[in-house]
Structures are given as C-alpha cells and as structure tokens.
Amino acid sequence: MHIHVLGSAAGGGFPQWNCNCRNCDGVRKATVRARARTQSSIALSGDGVNWLLCNASPDLLSQLRAFPQSQPARALRDTAIAAVLLIDAQIDHTTGLYMLREHHRPLQVWCTDPVAEDLERGNPLLGLLGHYCGARRHRIPIDGTAFEIADVPGLRLTALPLRSKAPPYSPHRDEPVAGDNIGLLVECTHAGKRLFYAPGLGEIEPQVWQAMLDCDVLMIDGTCWRDDELIALGVSRKRARDMGHLPLHGTGGTLDWLDRLPRATRKILIHINNTNPILDEDSVEHARVRSAGIELAFDGMELSL
Ligand code: MLT
Ligand code: MN
Ligand code: ZN
C-alpha cells in the first residue's frame, strides 16, 4: 500500500490566513522553526497507479500540483484519482470536491449515510455537482463489513463509526448519529499490512483501541495539545473535546494511549491545528512527542507498507 499525505493540518491550515498566534506569526516570519501545512487529506493506493483520495480539502488543487503521480497524462483529460472517500462532512474534508468539477465523468464519492445527508441538505454539494461533472455516491457500511473499491484495487477497507461530531452546519450537530465520523482501517490485500486513519477522533472506544492494536501504521488526530487550547488563546469558547477532538496531553489524552502501543507500531499525528505547540520543532511539546517515538505528518510525506 502506498500512502501520500496531501495535507497534514486541521481546518484553517498552517499558518491560518487570519491568525497571528505564536505559531502562525512565527512560521510566517520564520521566527519559529516549523513547516507550513495545508488542510487534512491523504491519498492511498494498492497498485501505485490508481489512488483513493481520502478527504477533499479546500487546498486540493495545490496539493495535487505537488503530487505528480496524481496526473499520469494518459489522455488529454486525465487523473489518477479514481475515487474519493469522505470520513465526515466537515468543510475541511469536503470543499475540495468543488475543485474537481471539471472531471469528464461523475466523481465516485464514498461516504456514510449521515455524511451523504449533510451533503444533500446542510451543505448540498452532491446535488450541486450535478450541474457540473456529477457525483455518484457509494454507501460506506458502518456495521464492520469490509468493502473494496473496484477502481482502486489492492485495498480492503473497514469503517469504524467514531464518537465525534457532525459539522457545525449540520442539521443534527448536537444530536450525533453513528456514521457522522468514521475511522478507516485499510488493509493491503497482498502484503496484509494495515493502516488506521482517523483525523477526527473524539474518544478511544474499545473498537478503536482494537484497530490501533491491529494496525502497522496509525495516522490519527493530532488537532490540539490541550483541551482548552483555543480558550486559553482567546480564539474560541470551544474545548477540543467539544469539537470531537481528543487532546494529546493530559490524563486519558491521545499520548497516554499511544504510550501503551507496541514500539513497532508506526504512530503518526495528522490534522494538526495551527495553535498546537508541537508544530514548533524547538518546543518541549514537540520533544515530548518525538521522544515517545511519535511522528508528525507533513505535506508530501510518503509511506509504503
Ligand atoms: C474540525 O475538524 O473540527 C473542523 O474541520 C473544523 C472546521 O471545519 O473548521
Ligand atoms: Mn477538521
Ligand atoms: Zn494560529
């Protein structure tokens, strides 16, 4: 399986256009040692030719420009992106679909029923695409049944419903339903290696923990260091947990869980918010993460397993 990180930041990217927090200001002025990052998306392939786009971020066009394998140039109009899978209906994971509207055939969009509902009502993007290339929606099962995507051979996928949050615009934002957010367990059908991908993870429930134990590589939610990070900075009233993101630090935080996994499991944080002190490569928080054998995803990161 080939994994290509297109964007490793949370919504807003890093630096965020309107933000002058220590990180954003510092990366702009080069006074903080950190890498800029675009918004949350990865691409997966079993055969190295056909790719599954997992989440379509608002930064998609620049991400594809920086990923030459996405354009194999076999025809006048071409792409290696054979299908798109959405793990939720958040703005930072779906807006990129608009950028694919010039496709010569309908976009093959995989998502759960609640995500499709949000994309038909709260943010009616699936219907709107009907005025351009069209979108053919495929249902992701959330009962633990594995599924394959014919146009992306070599990958077997299983969705895990997660306790997180529907987007702020969702008609059922405050009444979460199973399937609003999923984690994805992806198995390479020939090598048998497994990736667990969950850029939005509000709670480590038993089936999530099992998936974390079962996989070779983890790419999980690294949004906030502290639960009250945005409140302490004065930029929001919301806690990380209120937004469906388990903080890294603190009792029961993501680092506590990762510390209990085998050393051989590759542990990678993704969907990192611009306020998170781990982005500063000279920070104690960055050192803490690295000393635990945990990596930070960066744009353009590639893995083969
Ligand atoms: C999130 O992950 O909580 C959302 O991306 C927030 C947002 O859309 O800005
Ligand atoms: Mn997000
Ligand atoms: Zn910032």
Side-chain angles (χ1 to χ4, degrees), residues 142-159:
I142 55 165
D143 61 359
T145 312
F147 60 101
E148 293 187 23
I149 297 176
D151 293 335
V152 191
L155 303 178
R156 185 176 301 119
L157 303 112
T158 311

Side-chain angles (χ1 to χ4, degrees), residues 160-163 196 204-212:
L160 275 77
L162 301 177
R163 208 165 289 160
F196 180 60
I204 315 277
E205 298 167 82
Q207 80 278 17
V208 172
W209 180 237
Q210 194 56 53
M212 287 165 71

